[in-house]
Amino acid sequence: MLKNKPDKMQPPMPASSPTLGQYLFDCLKAEGITEIFGIPGDYNFSLLDTLEGYEGIRFVNGRNELGAGYASDGYGRLRGLSALITTFGVGEMSACNTVAGANSEYVPLVHIVGAPKSRDQEAHKLMHHTLLNGDFGVFRQIYTHLCAYTAILTPENAEEEIPAAIRIAKRTRKPVYLMVAIDLVTKPIVRRTIPEEMQSATSKPALEAAIQHIRGLLNGTNNVVLLSDMLTLRYGFRDAVQQLALRLNLPAASLLLGKSSFDERHPNYIGVYGGAFGSEQVRNIVESADCMIAVGMIWTDVNSANNTAKLDRLRLVDIQPEFVRVGESMYEQVMAADLIAALNACGWTRSGPLPQISFPYDEIIGEPDQLIRAATYYPRFQSMMKDKDIVVVETGTFAYGMSQVRLPAGADYICQQGWQSIGY
């Protein structure tokens, strides 16, 4: 849990203050954001005017809020944080599907909403893009259910609320919501001294107890497999998981929601584990293992392939970003990075060669004059892809077929298999 550290304050602030809009973009730029997606609307014009003259961030105009939001969602998956600007009411409601999907799929997205003038809101005027009832808080209330954090920005609170929202988006990998009245965007922020926040840290006793428990599962067996899933991607654990597979000499599979969380040209990779929807070879290796080490797993109906995938929880080491579950025992306040490092150093290594796997689409079959069939077009899709491609796949039946296509080295794979919004 994040806690205040009253004994350590930020350095004194400079005398001049940026405007609220400038400060917002300064904070996003500091996180590496170089593009912001959105749709112009009369209540966000001051935001966009500020952005137009701002160095280092480009505005990407979408066709509509839903499409701009989906672009921001993809950006957040690949870059670790994204931002979306819409107008009040009509614009933000059009983006609801985007933000709900980002919540479902652990995508950190900062949704910025330009709102009517502050004095019009205070007077409860009947304004366009509202429900014509004088209630300017109703849409934010909706977004409290879709976001990890919401705030109404003012010059007085901007220096606290904006960093807090970004910090929460990054920690939870969830969307956050910031609303600002059009007339406040150009006002200078009120400088404040904000206590720094403590980062979550691993409890050494909990880590040692977890490692001892895991060693008990590993000792006396050579039949261990590694699984990687969605949160491996979202929390940036991909390289660490691959190093763990090499160090412990483990066969490694990804789950359906976590495809591309393990490099599919890596020598330890055996395929996607997807129950009856995937390879029978992979299914047998995973389900017969004496110990399964899963990193960032989310056990949904998709990952369980409609309950045809079977993982024995008593043999499972379930590594989550801030805790680990070993069998039926929970070890809290154990950061995944620290646990993976401890496993690398635990001294256990699987002996013997890795299992030999045949990938279903490595060989092209079918002649050009024959009828098009899934068995013939998936191998051709696989052969077209190049190293480090970004592969974007529509949800639905096609996504299950594409899950068995072997990606090229370093490829990123984007498929909304959790939220499953057709058209994504």
Side-chain angles (χ1 to χ4, degrees), residues 275-289:
F277 298 169
S279 162
E280 194 64 24
Q281 282 182 297
V282 175
R283 185 179 185 181
N284 289 335
I285 291 170
V286 171
E287 295 182 1
S288 67

Side-chain angles (χ1 to χ4, degrees), residues 197-272:
E197 298 287 335
M198 288 183 63
Q199 298 299 316
S200 297
T202 289
S203 162
K204 188 175 179 181
L207 175 61
E208 291 175 350
I211 289 296
Q212 183 176 0
H213 194 164
I214 295 169
R215 284 184 61 90
L217 290 178
L218 296 177
N219 289 337
T221 184
N222 203 44
N223 189 10
V224 182
V225 67
L226 181 65
L227 301 173
S228 59
D229 197 20
M230 179 192 285
L231 298 186
T232 294
L233 288 167
R234 301 294 186 267
Y235 282 84
F237 299 148
R238 186 156 50 176
D239 289 345
V241 168
Q242 288 174 186
Q243 291 167 8
L244 180 65
L246 276 175
R247 175 66 184 82
L248 302 188
N249 189 36
L250 299 179
S254 60
L255 279 77
L256 285 163
L257 290 178
K259 185 172 174 65
S260 82
S261 60
F262 202 95
D263 193 317
E264 299 192 1
R265 300 291 167 163
H266 193 283
N268 293 63
Y269 179 72
I270 61 173
V272 171

Side-chain angles (χ1 to χ4, degrees), residues 45-67:
F45 283 169
S46 59
L47 279 165
L48 298 185
D49 287 344
T50 301
L51 185 55
E52 185 176 23
Y54 188 86
E55 292 289 336
I57 300 181
R58 179 171 64 100
F59 180 65
V60 180
N61 196 345
R63 299 272 181 153
N64 53 51
E65 286 85 2
L66 183 62

Side-chain angles (χ1 to χ4, degrees), residues 311-331:
L311 294 181
D312 184 349
R313 290 280 173 174
L314 295 178
R315 293 180 283 150
L316 180 65
V317 178
D318 183 8
I319 302 172
Q320 294 295 322
E322 296 188 2
F323 69 87
V324 59
R325 184 182 291 109
V326 185
E328 293 183 339
S329 299
M330 172 81 81
Y331 300 91

Side-chain angles (χ1 to χ4, degrees), residues 14 17 35 56 94 157 165 181 193 195 199 223 227 232 259 274 320 357 363 422:
S17 295
E35 287 80 23
S94 292
N157 71 14
T193 302
Q199 298 299 316
N223 189 10
L227 301 173
T232 294
K259 185 172 174 65
Q320 294 295 322
I357 295 293
E363 182 180 349
I422 296 296

Side-chain angles (χ1 to χ4, degrees), residues 91-111:
E92 57 184 314
M93 288 297 97
S94 292
C96 269
N97 198 38
T98 281
V99 178
N103 189 315
S104 175
E105 304 235 338
Y106 290 83
V107 179
L109 183 158
V110 181
H111 185 186

